[in-house]
Amino acid sequence: MEHTLVIVKPDAVARGLIGEVIRRFESEGLVVCGLKMVRLAQKEAEGFYQVHRARPFFDSLTRFMAAGPCVAMVLAGEGAIGRVRTLMGATDPAKAAEGTLRRSFAASIEKNVVHGSDSEASAAFEIPYFFNRLEIVSPAERGEISVM
Ligand code: CMP
């Protein structure tokens, strides 16, 4: 069982795509274990994307991520990191496969709708950046609910 951090970025939140993004992941069997809306401060966006701090797009990216609310979530499942990345598609929507979230909805390589951890090491940094232990419910802890 793998965990990964997903962010519905400010462009997607503003366009009313929160539900569609979550639906695509849930319909592929990924389980939501944590979920919150956050408005990042510029410094918080910079901390999250520190791995990209030397890149020319760093200032623009972090300003964009702080420009409006995001929805952060922890998804769990077998191979969750890779499965999320497949469902998102390539960073550049022009290169993303047909049917992926970024191909369907992204406006540009920066305003690309969704973020997902790219490795186990990234997930280990990114999940606790947004969530403390009490805010993450494991699939086992979710239990079974019988719907009447
Ligand atoms: P994400 O998967 O969140 O990881 C880093 C982000 O930086 C990426 O999605 C894009 O939003 C952004 N990004 C990556 N490459 C570029 C680029 N060449 N120009 C602008 N933004 C980029």
Side-chain angles (χ1 to χ4, degrees):
M1 181 63 65
E2 209 167 59
H3 289 73
T4 189
L5 183 88
V6 168
I7 303 174
V8 185
K9 295 187 179 185
D11 57 327
V13 172
R15 291 163 60 200
L17 292 170
I18 299 169
E20 175 64 15
V21 172
I22 295 173
R23 188 194 67 76
R24 293 233 189 158
F25 292 129
E26 284 193 321
S27 67
E28 291 295 323
L30 291 152
V31 175
V32 178
C33 292
L35 185 71
K36 64 170 76 167
M37 178 172 271
V38 286
R39 175 75 192 257
L40 293 173
Q42 175 82 25
K43 288 280 175 220
E44 292 165 338
E46 290 171 3
F48 181 77
Y49 279 119
Q50 63 179 260
V51 66
H52 296 303
R53 63 189 176 280
R55 302 289 193 92
F57 57 80
F58 182 71
D59 281 343
S60 174
L61 169 64
T62 54
R63 269 188 278 108
F64 158 58
M65 292 299 290
C70 300
V71 171
M73 68 190 102
V74 178
L75 297 182
E78 295 294 336
I81 294 170
R83 284 163 65 198
V84 163
R85 293 182 67 75
T86 299
L87 292 166
M88 292 193 305
T91 306
D92 182 351
K95 296 179 181 154
E98 200 66 52
T100 60
L101 279 162
R102 286 166 170 164
R103 178 62 174 264
S104 298
F105 300 116
S108 68
I109 194 168
E110 179 177 271
K111 295 179 176 57
N112 64 353
V113 172
V114 66
H115 167 86
S117 305
D118 67 3
S119 65
E120 281 185 47
S122 296
F125 168 75
E126 293 177 357
I127 291 170
Y129 199 84
F130 282 93
F131 293 89
N132 69 44
R133 176 64 193 88
L134 292 175
E135 295 170 321
I136 302 170
V137 178
S138 74
E141 287 166 339
R142 281 178 36 146
E144 293 296 324
I145 298 169
S146 61
V147 180
M148 297 183 72

